[in-house]
Amino acid sequence: MARRVEKLEKGLVGIPVEVGVASIIVGVGVAGPEAVLHEREARSAAPASRSDCNRRQPLCAAPHPGPGFTLVELLVVIAIIGMLVGLLLPAVQQAREAARKMQCANNLKQQGLACHNYASAQKDVFPESVLKKEPMGKGKLGLNTFGFYTLLLPYLEQGALYQQIDQDMSFSAFCSTTEGKNVRNTLITSFICPSWGEEPVCTRSESYLYGALLTYSGVGGVVRKSGEKDENGRAYPVACYPTNADYSDHGEEGYPRNGMFQWAYSVPIATVRDGLSNTFMIGEFMQRDNDSSSPYYAYPGNVRAWLFGSNSDGKTGIYIFNVVTKECGQFNAHVERNKFAFFRNRLPFNSEHPGGAHFARADGSVTFLATGIDYTPYANLCTRNGGEHHTDGN
C-alpha cells in the first residue's frame, strides 16, 4: 500500500486536481495519499461533465458540416449544362430529320415500285392519272372520279381496301356512302411525308377537304409557251403545248402531254423516250399560302385526300398530279395561290426537308433534288419525251 501511494505521489507532481471540495497540489498534501487515490478512482467511474468533455474529450463535440457548393459554383455548373444542351439539341434535331428524310424517300420508293408493278400487270402501261369510269357522258372522262393512287393500292399491300372501292360510281357518290367515307378516311402512312408535321387525316366538313391526306403528287409534265425552244434551239414537240393557253378548259386540252401522268390518258413505258432514269414520275407536294386571309392558308392548305382524283369541272380541282410552269417557277418556290389565282395543279412541288425535295424517277429510283437547281434542267427532268439534255447534279 505504501508503494502504491509513493507511485501516486510521483505521478501527481505539478498537476492540479480537483477532488470534491478539496484542491490537491502535488507536493502540497492537503489530503493523504489514500484519499487522493480514492478520489481519482471515483472520478474515473463518474460520468464526465460538459466542461470536462469540452476540455478533454474533443470527440464529444458536434460534428462539423462537410464541404458544399457555393452559389458561384452552382451557377457555373448550370451554365455548363446549358451549353451542353445547346450543343446537343441541334444534333438531335438533325438526326431526327435525317430519319424522317429517309422514311420519305422510302415512301416514294414504294410508290415508284407500285407503279412498275401495275405496269407489269397492264402490258407495260403506267396507271392513268384519273380513272375514266365516270357516268357523266362523252367528253367528260376523268371528271368527279378517283386518282391513280387508288390503282396502286393492290401493289402497296392494300388489296382489301382496294376491293371496297366501287369504281363504277362517281367519286362524290361513292364518298356519300358509309363505306366510301370509311375508305376516304383510311390513313396510309406511306402517303404522308413524316416531315410535314400536320395531322394526316383532315376532319373539316368541306367535301373537297376531308379524308386521309396525300403529301405527294404525280408529275404531269411541263407547260411550254408556243414557239418556245430548248437549250439546243429546237422547238418542243406539239404535245408540250396545251391547246388552251389559259388552262381554263377541262379535258386534255388544258394540260401538256409530256409528263408521266396526263388527263384521262395512260402512259406506255415505250413512250418515255427520254429514258426512265431521266424522267421524274412523283414528287413531294404540301403547298399552302402564307397569307392568313387566303382560304388556302388554314390546314391542310392545298393538300388533299389520296382517294381524290378530280372534281366535277376539271379546272381548279385536279388533285392527283401537278404540272410545271415558268409562272410558278421551280420546286420549293413560294407561290400564293389565292393572290395570283393559280389553279391547284399549277402549284410547284415542294417539301419540308431543308435544302431540297424528293422525286421518284420513272425507273423506280428516288432522288433528293437540291433547291438551287436551275429551272431549265428541272423542267427537262419533268418531261418524258422532250429529248432534252438532262442533268440534276446527282
Side-chain angles (χ1 to χ4, degrees):
M1 183 64 181
R3 187 174 298 174
R4 291 182 59 192
V5 171
E6 182 181 355
K7 290 182 179 180
L8 178 62
E9 289 176 345
K10 291 180 179 181
L12 295 176
V13 174
I15 301 177
V17 181
E18 297 178 4
V19 181
V21 295
S23 294
I24 302 175
I25 304 299
V26 177
V28 183
V30 179
E34 295 83 353
V36 172
L37 180 60
H38 178 74
E39 288 295 333
R40 183 171 180 177
E41 292 175 348
R43 289 192 58 175
S44 299
S49 65
R50 181 174 295 275
S51 60
D52 290 336
C53 183
N54 291 338
R55 182 171 61 252
R56 298 186 293 111
Q57 302 290 338
L59 294 178
C60 294
H64 190 278
F69 289 109
T70 65
L71 179 59
V72 174
E73 291 172 332
L74 183 61
L75 293 176
V76 169
V77 171
I78 293 175
I80 293 174
I81 293 175
M83 292 176 60
L84 292 175
V85 171
L87 293 172
L88 185 61
L89 188 58
V92 173
Q93 292 174 337
Q94 290 177 2
R96 289 177 176 175
E97 172 54 28
R100 291 191 292 263
K101 184 178 175 182
M102 185 179 299
Q103 181 60 49
C104 179
N106 184 61
N107 291 346
L108 278 170
K109 182 72 173 179
Q110 293 182 49
Q111 295 169 31
L113 293 177
C115 288
H116 271 274
N117 289 333
Y118 176 91
S120 297
Q122 299 294 327
K123 299 180 180 179
D124 291 337
V125 177
F126 286 113
E128 57 209 37
S129 60
V130 289
L131 278 62
K132 299 178 182 179
K133 296 179 179 179
E134 213 301 310
M136 292 183 64
K138 185 177 180 180
K140 295 185 178 181
L141 293 177
L143 297 180
N144 191 17
T145 189
F146 310 94
F148 73 87
Y149 276 88
T150 300
L151 300 176
L152 299 184
L153 292 177
Y155 308 99
L156 293 169
E157 300 181 349
Q158 297 291 336
L161 186 64
Y162 177 77
Q163 294 298 328
Q164 299 177 42
I165 302 173
D166 188 348
Q167 299 179 31
D168 291 327
M169 299 176 68
S170 67
F171 176 81
S172 57
F174 176 72
C175 290
S176 65
T177 66
T178 300
E179 188 173 44
K181 292 177 181 178
N182 292 336
V183 171
R184 185 169 177 174
N185 286 309
T186 300
L187 172 64
I188 300 177
T189 56
S190 61
F191 290 173
I192 295 290
C193 171
S195 291
W196 186 41
E198 301 284 357
E199 289 296 324
V201 180
C202 181
T203 58
R204 290 178 58 177
S205 60
E206 295 92 329
S207 61
Y208 62 94
L209 288 179
Y210 82 90
L213 301 175
L214 172 71
T215 60
Y216 303 96
S217 185
V219 177
V222 179
V223 174
R224 307 291 191 183
K225 296 292 185 180
S226 179
E228 184 179 352
K229 298 181 180 181
D230 64 18
E231 62 268 27
N232 297 319
R234 299 175 302 174
Y236 288 107
V238 176
C240 294
Y241 311 117
T243 58
N244 192 321
D246 64 359
Y247 323 126
S248 61
D249 198 4
H250 63 70
E252 72 276 9
E253 294 181 352
Y255 298 91
R257 295 177 58 186
N258 57 2
M260 290 299 300
F261 294 98
Q262 304 176 53
W263 180 268
Y265 284 89
S266 299
V267 174
I269 291 179
T271 65
V272 188
R273 293 192 293 270
D274 290 346
L276 296 176
S277 62
N278 293 324
T279 305
F280 286 163
M281 182 165 57
I282 303 173
E284 295 187 74
F285 180 82
M286 50 201 79
Q287 196 272 349
R288 69 189 302 173
D289 286 1
N290 287 340
D291 183 2
S292 59
S293 64
S294 168
Y296 311 111
Y297 168 79
Y299 163 84
N302 287 295
V303 177
R304 298 293 181 263
W306 62 263
L307 188 64
F308 212 167
S310 67
N311 61 14
S312 59
D313 63 20
K315 299 177 184 179
T316 59
I318 300 298
Y319 301 122
I320 205 65
F321 70 87
N322 289 66
V323 300
V324 176
T325 68
K326 279 190 174 181
E327 289 79 6
C328 290
Q330 65 176 10
F331 69 98
N332 278 348
H334 175 67
V335 174
E336 292 286 324
R337 176 184 177 185
N338 187 60
K339 179 179 180 180
F340 297 103
F342 287 124
F343 293 146
R344 192 264 187 195
N345 48 79
R346 262 64 184 178
L347 296 173
F349 293 90
N350 69 310
S351 83
E352 294 294 331
H353 304 299
H358 286 114
F359 287 87
R361 298 174 185 262
D363 64 352
S365 63
V366 177
T367 294
F368 186 77
L369 199 62
T371 302
I373 186 175
D374 291 336
Y375 173 79
T376 298
Y378 164 62
N380 292 345
L381 287 163
C382 293
T383 65
R384 75 179 195 280
N385 56 2
E388 310 96 342
H389 173 67
H390 294 83
T391 176
D392 58 1
N394 294 324

